[in-house]
């Protein structure tokens, strides 16, 4: 299928790179949004993300310490023009010292906007402290409103904890609270309407995410994936949806006003309507590897550089080279597509 994304072959020449401190690539994009994976570990086992037994977690000695992590984020903000940082994982609430990392990030100048993507478990006890540390807002993943389906989907019986986390996030002012939902055929595909009703009633912003081929079990199939078109068709049976007039910018979600607004619903159609041409992301894994795309086949080892004594400027140069080499698109729809070796949970979703 040709989706209009140019396929780029050959090695990006460093000498062609314009003289700018920013994280530019060969297609005119500038990465200002940094996704930081705080851990690859998780307390759920969502079937589309992890096998029941979990994964071989990264060794502790490979993980960036808090000081190493904050140093890399300082380089990103002060030398590379990063303006937004999203903490994710694995499950970021499992990172020891999370509030400390957030407070240290809030002290950077210029201060980056900070958000976090979490499964919400334990958030009811932490939302206020996270807000006080400087976190601006939060995305909480919730794929079903049914306790038994939640147990099947995540292999843990924790739905009530997620509801409590959502309410606590709203009360703490981590707003707008966004809800991420992945619909799976034959599992929760009939929940598009109830999930939107729940979010509208509670003041949360719902975003559906098309399932992507990033699971270690390689269980993704194009036919099993619920497409954006299917989601919209389903929502349209109960709501009137009008495209939001505001420009989408680098945001991955296409958004619609629900019943005339102000409520909105988003759909992140990474597979059927890729937004690679507007991508403004760069990614840092919990073991200090920089990736220019969820789907990239290569990484730049910043941990080795910083533990080997590299200066801030040297690390910034490595990061710029990584961005310069970014491909035009993720290639999911190309015949020769290969899933990256790292699963989503170890890259940072
Ligand atoms: N544990 C946290 C959570 O679940 O929100 C953060 C990490 S998780 C990998 C981030 C988001 O990626 C979640 O909303 C999850 O539903 C989504 N996700 C995981 N695997 C996915 C896949 N194969 N395709 C699309 N989204 C996926
Ligand atoms: Fe854990 Fe998030 Fe993956 Fe679910 S989607 S297993 S909560 S990392």
């Amino acid at each position: 299928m040709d989706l209009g994304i140019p396929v780029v072959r050959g090695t990006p020449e460093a000498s062609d790179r314009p003289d700018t401190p920013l994280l530019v690539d060969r297609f005119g994009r500038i990465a200002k949004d940094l996704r930081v994976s705080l851990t690859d570990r998780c307390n759920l086992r969502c079937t589309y993300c992890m096998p029941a037994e979990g994964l071989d977690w990264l060794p502790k000695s490979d993980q960036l310490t808090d000081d190493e992590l904050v140093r890399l984020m300082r380089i990103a903000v002060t030398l590379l023009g990063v303006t937004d940082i999203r903490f994710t994982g694995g499950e970021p609430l499992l990172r020891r010292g999370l509030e400390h990392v957030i407070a240290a990030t809030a002290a950077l100048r210029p201060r980056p906007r900070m958000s976090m993507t979490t499964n919400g478990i334990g958030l009811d006890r932490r939302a206020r402290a996270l807000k006080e540390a400087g976190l601006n807002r939060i995305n909480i993943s919730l794929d079903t409103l049914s306790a038994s389906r939640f147990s099947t989907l995540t292999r843990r019986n924790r739905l009530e904890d997620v509801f409590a986390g959502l309410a606590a996030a709203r009360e703490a002012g981590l707003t707008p609270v966004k809800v991420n939902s992945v619909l799976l055929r034959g599992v929760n595909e009939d929940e598009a309407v109830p999930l939107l009703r729940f979010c509208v009633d509670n003041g949360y912003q719902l975003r559906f995410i098309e399932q992507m081929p990033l699971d270690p079990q390689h269980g993704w199939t194009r036919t099993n994936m619920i497409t954006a078109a299917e989601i919209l068709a389903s929502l349209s049976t109960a709501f009137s949806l009008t495209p939001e007039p505001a420009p989408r910018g680098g945001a991955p979600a296409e958004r619609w006003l629900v019943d005339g607004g102000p409520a909105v619903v988003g759909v992140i159609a990474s597979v059927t309507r890729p937004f690679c041409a507007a991508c403004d992301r760069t990614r840092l894994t919990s073991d200090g590897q920089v990736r220019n795309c969820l789907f990239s086949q290569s990484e730049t080892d910043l941990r080795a550089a910083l533990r080997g004594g590299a200066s801030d400027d040297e690390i910034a140069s490595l990061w710029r080279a990584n961005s310069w080499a970014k491909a035009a698109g993720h290639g999911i729809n190309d015949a020769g597509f290969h899933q990256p070796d790292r699963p989503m949970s170890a890259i940072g979703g």
Side-chain angles (χ1 to χ4, degrees):
M1 191 192 328
D2 178 8
L3 290 161
I5 297 172
V7 176
V8 177
R9 297 191 177 81
T11 318
E13 295 296 335
S15 55
D16 293 340
R17 193 183 173 280
D19 184 18
T20 168
L22 302 176
L23 291 173
V24 295
D25 68 31
R26 292 164 293 154
F27 306 95
R29 297 168 295 192
I30 305 174
K32 297 194 162 205
D33 183 348
L34 170 61
R35 307 267 146 154
V36 176
S37 173
L38 292 176
T39 175
D40 60 327
R41 294 167 191 242
C42 193
N43 43 8
L44 296 185
R45 295 286 183 273
C46 303
T47 53
Y48 55 83
C49 185
M50 275 191 201
E53 65 277 16
L55 294 164
D56 289 334
W57 311 124
L58 294 164
K60 188 146 181 23
S61 58
D62 284 1
Q63 307 269 341
L64 296 177
T65 64
D66 290 357
D67 287 349
E68 289 172 335
L69 174 59
V70 173
R71 179 176 171 205
L72 290 179
M73 291 192 290
R74 180 172 51 71
I75 291 170
V77 167
T78 59
L79 299 181
L80 300 170
V82 162
T83 56
D84 291 80
I85 296 182
R86 175 181 297 263
F87 298 106
T88 178
E91 177 43 51
L93 289 173
L94 296 185
R95 170 102 185 192
R96 281 217 190 137
L98 172 63
E99 287 78 359
H100 163 71
V101 169
I102 289 176
T105 313
L108 297 175
R109 292 293 174 270
R111 184 198 193 282
R113 284 180 291 269
M114 278 184 287
S115 58
M116 185 167 81
T117 302
T118 170
N119 62 30
I121 292 174
L123 184 62
D124 56 334
R125 297 184 300 279
R126 315 246 322 251
R128 189 172 296 277
L130 291 168
K131 177 71 181 177
E132 280 164 10
L135 189 68
N136 296 109
R137 41 161 310 274
I138 208 153
N139 283 42
I140 299 175
S141 302
L142 175 68
D143 301 327
T144 176
L145 300 173
S146 142
S148 65
R149 279 188 185 176
F150 188 91
S151 295
T152 308
L153 240 157
T154 69
R155 303 187 178 103
R156 300 288 186 273
N157 182 17
R158 307 296 296 269
L159 180 61
E160 288 305 322
D161 300 72
V162 183
F163 286 149
L166 277 161
R170 189 185 51 203
E171 266 148 46
L174 292 167
T175 49
V177 175
K178 296 189 183 176
V179 171
N180 289 1
S181 298
V182 177
L183 295 182
L184 304 171
R185 202 172 297 289
V187 180
N188 61 344
E189 66 182 298
D190 56 346
E191 288 200 63
V193 168
L195 279 166
L196 182 53
R197 183 99 54 210
F198 168 79
C199 287
V200 170
D201 289 350
N202 288 284
Y204 310 136
Q205 270 185 31
L206 179 60
R207 302 134 38 99
F208 290 99
I209 308 176
E210 280 182 347
Q211 190 191 359
M212 294 178 278
L214 281 170
D215 57 313
Q217 310 94 303
H218 294 261
W220 181 92
T221 64
R222 193 172 291 277
T223 41
N224 257 346
M225 182 194 73
I226 305 286
T227 65
E230 288 176 87
I231 294 165
L232 291 170
S234 173
L235 293 178
S236 299
T237 62
F239 302 95
S240 108
L241 301 180
T242 41
E244 195 186 40
R248 182 178 175 190
E254 289 179 76
R255 307 203 323 169
W256 285 263
L257 295 176
V258 179
D259 291 337
V264 291
V265 62
V267 180
I268 303 182
S270 315
V271 180
T272 62
R273 301 186 202 176
F275 40 87
C276 302
C279 177
D280 63 353
R281 306 253 168 98
T282 178
R283 295 172 180 276
L284 179 63
T285 65
S286 61
D287 57 341
Q289 313 297 306
V290 160
R291 302 174 62 91
N292 54 35
C293 177
L294 267 178
F295 293 91
S296 59
Q297 296 290 344
S298 62
E299 307 178 330
T300 300
D301 189 353
L302 296 190
R303 185 192 69 221
L306 66 79
R307 289 187 184 171
S311 67
D312 286 1
D313 284 336
E314 285 165 339
I315 290 171
S317 294
L318 288 171
W319 206 324
R320 287 186 194 107
N322 177 278
S323 277
W324 183 242
K326 180 165 171 150
H330 54 42
I332 296 175
N333 299 304
D334 298 345
F337 172 72
H338 286 299
Q339 199 175 314
D341 290 339
R342 258 188 209 262
M344 173 80 126
S345 56
I347 298 171

